[in-house]
């Protein structure tokens, strides 16, 4: 027993100091880092995988939305072209009808002016 006490005193450290000293803190830190690293190695890939799956779903939905919007744009453009063509044909038809009755309107206007001038000269009777 005396030899053991002498050895402990010679080394300057007791077993209690070894368990609570800086060496045990270093060992505890290394164990914690390794344990946390192993846990993260299992946890992080699943989180990243779920995130990537969600991103893929979002991209698919956006592609569907984009295709729908393009189809709608094409339909709207086609309908607009049909409306423009209908307006052009209608206005051309109106223009041809108005050109046909323009001389009649000018004649009626001339007659109205003639009658109003006659009424002014007749004394308003």
């Amino acid at each position: 027993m005396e030899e053991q006490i002498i050895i402990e005193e010679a080394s300057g450290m007791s077993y209690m100091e070894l368990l609570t000293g800086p060496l045990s803190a270093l060992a505890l830190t290394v164990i914690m880092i390794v344990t946390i690293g192993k846990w993260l190695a299992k946890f992080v890939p699943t989180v990243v995988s779920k995130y990537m799956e969600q991103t893929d779903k979002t991209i698919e939905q956006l592609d569907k939305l984009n295709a729908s919007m393009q189809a709608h744009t094409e339909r709207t453009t086609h309908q607009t072209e049909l409306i423009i063509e209908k307006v052009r044909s209608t206005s051309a038809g109106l223009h041809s009808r108005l050109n046909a009755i323009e001389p009649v309107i000018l004649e009626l206007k001339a007659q109205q002016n003639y009658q109003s001038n006659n009424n002014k000269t007749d004394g308003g009777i």
Side-chain angles (χ1 to χ4, degrees), residues 56-111:
D56 289 343
K57 288 178 184 177
T58 302
I59 289 172
E60 288 174 7
Q61 290 173 349
L62 289 174
D63 286 342
K64 288 178 184 177
L65 179 63
N66 187 23
S68 172
M69 289 175 64
Q70 285 179 350
H72 178 70
T73 300
E74 290 173 6
R75 283 193 307 269
T76 304
T77 302
H78 179 68
Q79 289 174 351
T80 303
E81 289 171 356
L82 290 176
I83 291 170
I84 289 171
E85 185 59 34
K86 185 70 173 173
V87 168
R88 284 182 181 158
S89 66
T90 303
S91 65
L94 286 175
H95 188 67
S96 65
R97 288 180 185 173
L98 288 176
N99 282 339
I101 63 170
E102 185 178 11
V104 175
I105 292 173
L106 291 174
E107 184 180 330
L108 288 174
K109 195 172 186 181
Q111 285 178 359

Side-chain angles (χ1 to χ4, degrees), residues 104-120:
V104 175
I105 292 173
L106 291 174
E107 184 180 330
L108 288 174
K109 195 172 186 181
Q111 285 178 359
Q112 186 180 16
N113 286 339
Y114 177 75
Q115 286 177 357
S116 67
N117 286 338
N118 279 343
N119 284 339
K120 286 181 186 176

Side-chain angles (χ1 to χ4, degrees), residues 11 14 19 21 31 34 49 52-53 60 71 73-74 80 100-101 123:
S11 67
S14 67
L19 292 176
I31 291 171
V34 169
S49 175
M52 294 305 287
E53 288 174 7
E60 288 174 7
T73 300
E74 290 173 6
T80 303
I101 63 170

